[in-house]
Amino acid sequence: MCFDASPFYPPSVLSELKNVLVCNNSLGVLTVKFKFHKFLKPLPREIQTLIDTFAKKQKANGHKFPSAYYEIVKLGNPPEDYAAINVPPDVLGDIFKSIAGAVYKDSNYSMTTFRIVMTPFLNYTFVKAKSGSSEVIKRIKGV
């Protein structure tokens, strides 16, 4: 999918973009952005609280990826400011992977169907990654 979207990038950059696309942080953001988490069966209270907290913060920050959004929290005595990232619970990444696997299996393992169904979701991550300020993107732009 990375190659289809950007065939002129060198293999090392395509590999790093792929890693951004499939990491739990990115998949957790996608799960919340596209509201897949709303279809979960009841979970233990601790996990549900983590998911709800992450989802509220994601809605408030416009569904930014954890590496692109920091919030200031006060910790310690006396309180001091610290930067904190909003990391999704691993279960959110697992949900997205499960959906992707179900699409692939239910399409009789058709990569064509898989791409048609999943590309709109993954493109959100790809666009965000390309517009980000990571080292990968700096190398893509030749900075």
Side-chain angles (χ1 to χ4, degrees):
M1 286 185 179
C2 290
F3 181 77
D4 294 343
S6 302
F8 52 88
Y9 293 155
S12 61
V13 172
L14 290 173
S15 179
E16 290 186 47
L17 281 173
K18 179 207 51 107
N19 290 339
V20 169
L21 283 173
V22 298
C23 77
N24 259 358
N25 287 351
S26 297
L27 297 179
V29 170
L30 292 177
T31 299
V32 169
K33 169 140 180 70
F34 295 107
K35 298 180 174 63
F36 296 153
H37 68 292
K38 301 237 180 203
F39 297 99
L40 287 173
K41 299 269 184 197
L43 296 169
R45 180 184 296 258
E46 298 82 17
I47 294 173
Q48 192 62 56
T49 300
L50 288 172
I51 291 170
D52 292 343
T53 301
F54 178 77
K56 286 176 188 170
K57 289 180 179 181
Q58 281 300 108
K59 185 175 181 183
N61 75 30
H63 300 285
K64 292 181 180 172
F65 292 100
S67 60
Y69 173 75
Y70 298 88
E71 60 183 336
I72 303 300
V73 295
K74 295 204 178 281
L75 297 172
N77 191 9
E80 294 184 35
D81 289 345
Y82 290 91
I85 59 174
N86 188 25
V87 177
D90 286 344
V91 68
L92 292 176
D94 295 343
I95 291 167
F96 196 89
K97 292 174 196 172
S98 297
I99 291 168
V103 167
Y104 187 59
K105 184 178 179 191
D106 288 352
S107 70
N108 201 25
Y109 304 98
S110 167
M111 195 59 179
T112 302
T113 302
F114 177 81
R115 285 181 180 192
I116 290 169
V117 172
M118 298 306 294
T119 296
F121 301 111
L122 295 174
N123 274 345
Y124 178 81
T125 304
F126 189 72
V127 167
K128 289 287 189 179
K130 283 177 44 177
S131 67
S133 60
S134 71
E135 290 302 313
V136 178
I137 306 311
K138 287 179 182 175
R139 274 193 268 141
I140 290 171
K141 294 179 179 175
V143 174

